[in-house]
Amino acid sequence: MRTGKLPPDILEKLVFPYLGMRRKDVLVHAALGEDSAVIDFGDSVCVVSTDPITGATKRSGWLAVHISCNDVAANGATPLGVLPTLLLTEESTEDEVRGIMEEVHQAALELGVEVLGGHTEVTPGLPMTIISLAAIGRAPKERFVTSAGAQPGDDLLITKSAAIEGTAILAIDYGDMLLRTLDLATVQRAQALIRQISVVPEGIKAAACGVSAMHDVTEGGVIGGLFELAEASGVGLEVWLERIPIRPETEAICALFGADPLRLISSGAMLITARDGQRIKGALEEQGIAASLIGRVTEGERLLYREGVGIPLVPCERDELWRILEKIK
């Protein structure tokens, strides 16, 4: 198998048939496009999610906290705690462990969450340290959101811009290499995008305003996120690609590697569907969160439009980050 997230057809065949007993107190079960489970806790729900950090080498502890808390926030929940698992190599040092946990601690302070526990071990055979982190959040029972709630006639929005995480990872981990071609200001702007990784503010705000579905954009980029949202909701989409914001520094780095920014890992962006997209856009912008109307939900096909020409939306076979990293190495 190739590096990266397993494609939808493999998940359907090898993973989803084996999910144990289906419990009545689980309100959102494991499914394609759903990154968190939602559990009934009476007047509130508990939202839980887990994610690894595998494509980044620097600031991985900080990223792990934000990425997992993003999944929780995509359900409209406030993150409460995290549980990191550190699988260390036999060459790992105490300084490495301390550095990762300092990053975890800093991100947890930024989000107001507690490190509830976790696990650390030295694992034989690993070429690099792997961090996986679970996040737990809470939301009012009547106000949690899923990826499966989009309805025909809804507007489709995206917050911030495409490929935020991928741009930041490449600029931080390979800044010296980029500087051989790109100017210092471009690389520095790309590195600074890491501060936009969190979608917790927009997740909580949008849920409070009343939206039909949310899905944070991660591996597979915007194209992957759109497909997962459509699959989870069982709907069609019409998406105008020219309306998806792409920052100049993202375009510059992607051009350097011949990569598609719409298929590059994009934590920091949230897909949102709502009956009145303009109202949600205005509410987010009042909080200083950029949002763009990029399409609508339909009963028909899933189509991506560029200059008026529509092409079918299909799963993203592989995130561009993995292809870029293979080229670099």
Side-chain angles (χ1 to χ4, degrees):
M1 291 186 180
R2 295 193 302 179
T3 50
K5 189 163 64 173
L6 290 180
D9 59 329
I10 299 296
L11 290 172
E12 294 284 5
K13 181 172 65 174
L14 301 181
V15 176
F16 291 137
Y18 309 108
L19 299 178
M21 186 181 77
R22 198 173 178 90
R23 293 183 57 93
K24 293 182 180 179
D25 50 0
V26 177
L27 304 179
V28 176
H29 304 269
L32 185 65
E34 294 289 1
D35 293 327
S36 303
V38 179
I39 305 167
D40 191 346
F41 270 32
D43 292 336
S44 63
V45 295
C46 176
V47 181
V48 294
S49 185
T50 185
D51 252 322
I53 297 297
T54 51
T57 58
K58 297 177 182 177
R59 304 202 66 178
S60 54
W62 186 91
L63 280 169
V65 174
H66 280 286
I67 298 309
S68 288
C69 287
N70 280 355
D71 284 340
V72 169
N75 289 97
T78 300
L80 302 177
V82 295
L83 295 95
T85 295
L86 274 60
L87 302 180
L88 305 160
T89 72
E90 292 173 295
E91 290 75 34
S92 294
T93 64
E94 290 186 3
D95 285 343
E96 180 185 356
V97 178
R98 182 183 295 108
I100 292 170
M101 289 309 302
E102 285 175 347
E103 293 173 356
V104 168
H105 174 66
Q106 180 59 45
L109 289 176
E110 292 170 5
L111 292 171
V113 303
E114 183 173 346
V115 179
L116 302 171
H119 180 77
T120 55
E121 71 169 61
V122 175
T123 307
L126 286 184
M128 60 181 290
T129 294
I130 295 176
I131 304 171
S132 182
L133 187 140
I136 300 172
R138 181 174 61 198
K141 188 174 181 179
E142 73 280 0
R143 208 169 69 193
F144 75 87
V145 183
T146 72
S147 297
Q151 297 293 322
D154 285 350
D155 291 322
L156 174 65
L157 303 92
I158 191 169
T159 64
K160 300 180 202 147
S161 59
I164 292 172
E165 182 183 3
T167 303
I169 287 173
L170 291 168
I172 290 170
D173 288 3
Y174 302 98
D176 290 342
M177 186 186 71
L178 295 180
L179 285 171
R180 297 173 197 162
T181 306
L182 303 178
D183 61 271
L184 178 61
T186 296
V187 174
Q188 288 178 334
R189 288 196 305 270
Q191 291 171 338
L193 286 178
I194 197 166
R195 302 305 308 178
Q196 296 188 28
I197 289 291
S198 178
V199 295
V200 173
E202 51 254 58
I204 294 173
K205 179 63 177 178
C209 290
V211 298
S212 55
M214 291 193 291
H215 189 64
D216 71 309
V217 186
T218 54
E219 192 165 340
V222 175
I223 299 301
L226 288 167
F227 180 83
E228 290 173 354
L229 176 66
E231 279 288 293
S233 294
V235 295
L237 294 176
E238 290 181 356
V239 182
W240 303 295
L241 296 180
E242 291 95 340
R243 298 188 184 182
I244 300 172
I246 302 173
R247 295 180 62 89
E249 51 269 32
T250 296
E251 290 183 329
I253 290 174
C254 286
L256 191 62
F257 294 109
D260 183 351
L262 297 182
R263 289 176 168 80
L264 180 60
I265 189 166
S266 294
S267 295
M270 181 86 85
L271 292 170
I272 300 170
T273 63
R275 188 58 55 175
D276 185 352
Q278 285 290 354
R279 181 177 65 86
I280 303 302
K281 173 179 164 68
L284 291 170
E285 289 176 344
E286 285 178 1
Q287 301 295 311
I289 302 165
S292 304
L293 283 161
I294 62 168
R296 64 191 184 97
V297 182
T298 71
E299 294 180 344
E301 296 180 84
R302 300 166 184 172
L303 295 173
L304 306 174
Y305 286 92
R306 189 183 296 278
E307 298 180 352
V309 178
I311 61 171
L313 170 64
V314 297
C316 183
E317 290 185 5
R318 196 182 192 206
D319 194 285
E320 291 283 68
L321 181 64
W322 294 111
R323 189 176 64 79
I324 292 170
L325 292 181
E326 287 177 359
K327 183 184 293 187
I328 290 173
K329 296 172 182 178

